[in-house]
Amino acid sequence: KLMEVLLLSGCAMALAGSSSPASGGEHLLSHYWDMVAHCNGRSTPSFHGTQVGIATVLTGRLYEGILRPSVMFAGVSERLANHPVDREDWVDRVRNRHPNLTSDVLDEVIEESLLKFLPPAEQRNRLQQIDERWEEISAHLQGLLMPVTRIEKALIAAGGPVRGVEIGLEPSQVQEAIRVARDIRSRYTVLDFAADLGILDSYSEMAIAE
């Protein structure tokens, strides 16, 4: 089963021309914890795979929260009001979100994040498409996602942790990563999706309360 998964993952990456099919928001959380540790002269919390396992639980819960039938999202105009007005505004916001990164690392983060900046008109179009195609999007995601309870059971059965506190991460470190890790790569992940839906910050608070 492991070999099959690795081969399918490799084929998906080859077809996509990038590691995106095998590296989403869960990997960004792990990388961000490493980056902050490096910039502050600390050792990384744990092995990459261990951190990704914990982050997969976090992003899995985020997906389940997004797809919960009772969840209500703000309107397009309200969500668009929080979008940067131009590239300079985008850069300022990214810079302010990362006080724990050194200037050289932050410069790279800004350069990478700018690759997915959309002018307000294009962002409005994206938000409208999400709203208009919500039933299609949600049905597609429901067919792809593994329940978080199953992910947790698999990790525990393998002897792995499922909570950040188990590897020494403070709740504030987990919350911060959920809020800002989307900036470190140009790829669009569930973290960006939740931000577009206007629920990322509230989820970051809920995630550390559980």
Side-chain angles (χ1 to χ4, degrees):
K1 288 183 178 180
L2 177 60
M3 284 304 302
E4 181 181 8
V5 169
L6 290 172
L7 286 168
L8 289 173
S9 176
C11 290
M13 288 188 282
L15 288 168
S18 79
S19 62
S20 294
S23 177
E26 71 293 329
H27 279 70
L28 300 191
L29 295 177
S30 177
H31 290 317
Y32 194 74
W33 290 325
D34 290 345
M35 290 166 64
V36 172
H38 169 75
C39 289
N40 290 274
R42 302 192 303 265
S43 59
T44 57
S46 188
F47 294 116
H48 177 64
T50 300
Q51 295 176 185
V52 169
I54 292 169
T56 299
V57 173
L58 290 168
T59 55
R61 283 208 193 102
L62 177 54
Y63 269 118
E64 289 186 350
I66 288 172
L67 297 175
R68 195 171 293 135
S70 60
V71 172
M72 299 293 290
F73 306 116
V76 169
S77 295
E78 185 177 343
R79 281 179 276 154
L80 187 65
N82 294 319
H83 187 72
V85 296
D86 53 31
R87 291 171 65 87
E88 290 72 22
D89 187 15
W90 177 281
V91 169
D92 287 342
R93 295 190 191 200
V94 173
R95 191 178 299 281
N96 291 333
R97 282 199 290 263
H98 300 277
N100 293 319
L101 299 182
T102 54
S103 59
D104 56 332
V105 173
L106 181 53
D107 286 344
E108 292 187 27
V109 168
I110 290 171
E111 182 179 355
E112 186 76 10
S113 71
L114 271 170
L115 295 174
K116 57 184 174 184
F117 167 71
L118 292 180
E122 293 181 32
Q123 178 68 6
R124 176 181 288 278
N125 182 56
R126 169 188 276 171
L127 298 180
Q128 288 175 334
Q129 286 192 54
I130 291 174
D131 281 16
E132 291 168 3
R133 301 177 60 185
W134 181 248
E135 289 189 11
E136 175 189 350
I137 292 169
S138 58
H140 184 69
L141 287 173
Q142 292 281 11
L144 292 175
L145 297 171
M146 181 184 295
V148 172
T149 53
R150 185 177 171 190
I151 295 171
E152 288 181 313
K153 288 179 180 178
L155 288 169
I156 292 170
V162 294
R163 300 287 185 275
V165 66
E166 296 178 69
I167 60 170
L169 286 170
E170 297 290 335
S172 59
Q173 293 174 289
V174 173
Q175 182 180 18
E176 177 190 39
I178 292 171
R179 287 182 54 250
V180 305
R182 70 186 189 276
D183 294 333
I184 70 173
R185 293 287 185 274
S186 61
R187 65 190 50 171
Y188 188 91
T189 74
V190 65
L191 302 176
D192 299 284
F193 189 42
D196 279 347
L197 293 171
I199 66 168
L200 185 62
D201 286 349
S202 59
Y203 171 72
S204 72
E205 296 174 3
M206 181 188 71
I208 65 172
E210 294 182 356

